[in-house]
Amino acid sequence: MVQLTRFARRQLGHFPTPLEPLPRLSSLLREQHAQVPDLWIKRDDCTGLATGGNKTRKLEFLVGDALAQGADTLITQGATQSNHARQTAAAAAVTGLDCKILLEQRQVRDDEYEQSGNVLLDELLGAEIVQRLPAGSDMQGAMESLAEELRAIGKRPYVIPGGGSNPIGALGYVDCALELDAAPVAVDWVVHGTGSTGTQAGLVAGFAAINSAARVLGVSVRQPEQRQIDAVYGLAERTAELIGTTVDREDVLVDDRWVGGGYGVPTDEMVEATRLLASTEGILLDPVYSGKGFAGLLGGIAEGRFDETDTVVFLHTGGSVGLFGYRSTFQ
């Protein structure tokens, strides 16, 4: 039995999030493919914190820990259009904490990318964008340096890693695994875009803790399969230890064929997948994570990866506000 009540937690979102079927999309896919599973979507884009997203689950535990330690400032980092940074800024606003954000310029664009979408909301929510650093910078080191500067003037900072992806943050997706296990349908697969690893690691650890047979497929949005597997498994191990269970490396499944040119770089498959879900089910994906994750799900269906009798849940990690940073991609 997983006892998450022993960990500090601050309520920030609306849970459980909706679990919805995808009837119009499924009907269309059955016209195109011989083998289409029972498709559902877990709406973690509906967590409610400044347009929602998967980081809200992680931040409930991270901010809970920060408050338990007496912190007065949250520090975090992410790419320019970071959904995590936006949700951290919102969590700080809700709890009365200061928020300092470092943004990594993983790609340079000459359109609205640098100022719109999540960047606009970061500032509207009251966060301070302290630095914009070039791609490949030591972002963790930069955060630690900032934390030292703040401590020197009497502040009490709490450093949150990119994506909120450490064992405390991953507890949010242990909790999501428990939600899915209690769902009115028996879940065979959970598919989602995997990047900083906390979502997948938490799901893997959570399902292991309750001996669930559900499999988790992470569609990589940033790095090759084996590197992503190593990263997810490492965090899943540490999360499992935190909740008193173990995980097997074989439970970490990653598909890296949908990354395209790299993190945040648009692909034709992402654009097609985003347009398809919007036009059939009225659900908006994002161009960095869920768009590529959904492209991977569609690709898996096309190649017969899932049985027709399988129940497959796409975990929508949110981030549709990022579409506004990619307007030119969709025009």
Side-chain angles (χ1 to χ4, degrees):
M1 187 68 177
V2 182
Q3 297 290 341
L4 294 180
T5 53
R6 62 192 176 94
F7 299 101
R9 186 173 187 176
R10 171 60 156 85
Q11 182 178 352
L12 297 169
H14 307 316
F15 302 109
T17 54
L19 179 64
E20 303 171 350
L22 296 172
R24 291 199 69 241
L25 175 67
S26 297
S27 178
L28 179 63
L29 292 175
R30 289 190 179 103
E31 294 175 4
Q32 302 170 350
H33 308 296
Q35 187 169 294
V36 177
D38 185 19
L39 285 175
W40 294 70
I41 187 166
K42 180 66 168 167
R43 298 294 303 275
D44 273 18
D45 59 319
C46 297
T47 55
L49 187 64
T51 78
N54 63 325
K55 311 306 181 186
T56 301
R57 288 188 187 271
K58 301 177 184 182
L59 286 163
E60 288 207 334
F61 290 93
L62 290 162
V63 173
D65 189 48
L67 292 172
Q69 293 186 29
D72 58 19
T73 305
L74 301 179
I75 299 174
T76 199
Q77 60 92 1
T80 298
Q81 284 291 337
S82 169
N83 298 312
H84 164 68
R86 180 246 309 158
Q87 287 166 88
T88 302
V94 168
T95 53
L97 301 174
D98 290 338
C99 184
K100 311 288 186 183
I101 294 173
L102 286 73
L103 295 179
E104 182 182 5
Q105 296 172 305
R106 296 183 191 171
Q107 56 174 304
V108 178
R109 299 166 63 107
D110 58 4
D111 55 10
E112 64 285 337
Y113 181 78
E114 294 285 339
Q115 300 299 332
S116 66
N118 282 303
V119 181
L120 171 65
L121 296 190
D122 292 342
E123 295 174 339
L124 186 63
L125 291 162
E128 179 187 0
I129 298 175
V130 179
Q131 287 180 284
R132 294 177 186 253
L133 299 169
S137 297
D138 179 4
M139 300 301 288
Q140 186 65 33
M143 288 197 297
E144 295 294 349
S145 295
L146 176 59
E148 285 300 316
E149 292 174 16
L150 293 175
R151 292 187 189 102
I153 59 172
K155 302 287 284 183
R156 298 185 301 279
Y158 183 90
V159 176
I160 297 176
S165 292
N166 62 14
I168 293 174
L171 291 174
Y173 275 88
V174 172
D175 196 36
C176 185
L178 303 182
E179 265 183 42
L180 287 166
D181 187 63
V185 294
V187 178
D188 297 297
W189 288 89
V190 179
V191 180
H192 69 99
T194 181
S196 63
T197 75
T199 298
Q200 187 171 6
L203 288 171
V204 169
F207 284 137
I210 57 177
N211 296 312
S212 170
R215 289 167 285 183
V216 183
L217 174 62
V219 179
S220 180
V221 303
R222 65 186 298 179
Q223 61 185 354
E225 178 178 323
Q226 288 305 315
R227 285 174 55 191
Q228 188 69 9
I229 288 174
D230 290 344
V232 172
Y233 179 60
L235 181 53
E237 272 195 312
R238 289 183 287 141
T239 306
E241 182 178 1
L242 190 61
I243 62 174
T245 190
T246 59
V247 294
D248 294 327
R249 185 181 176 85
E250 292 72 24
D251 291 334
V252 180
L253 306 175
V254 171
D255 184 347
D256 66 356
R257 295 173 295 165
W258 309 94
V259 176
Y263 180 90
V265 179
T267 64
D268 292 343
E269 293 85 359
M270 176 277 291
V271 172
E272 181 180 355
T274 301
R275 288 191 185 281
L276 181 62
L277 189 62
S279 62
T280 56
E281 302 288 354
I283 297 173
L284 299 175
L285 298 172
D286 88 291
V288 180
Y289 286 90
S290 56
K292 289 185 178 180
F294 204 72
L297 170 60
L298 294 175
I301 291 172
E303 66 190 17
R305 180 166 196 157
F306 311 106
D307 293 336
E308 194 170 6
T309 56
D310 284 341
T311 296
V312 177
V313 174
F314 180 73
L315 176 63
H316 190 340
T317 52
S320 61
V321 68
L323 289 168
F324 296 100
Y326 286 79
R327 185 176 60 183
S328 58
T329 299
F330 290 87
Q331 290 180 328

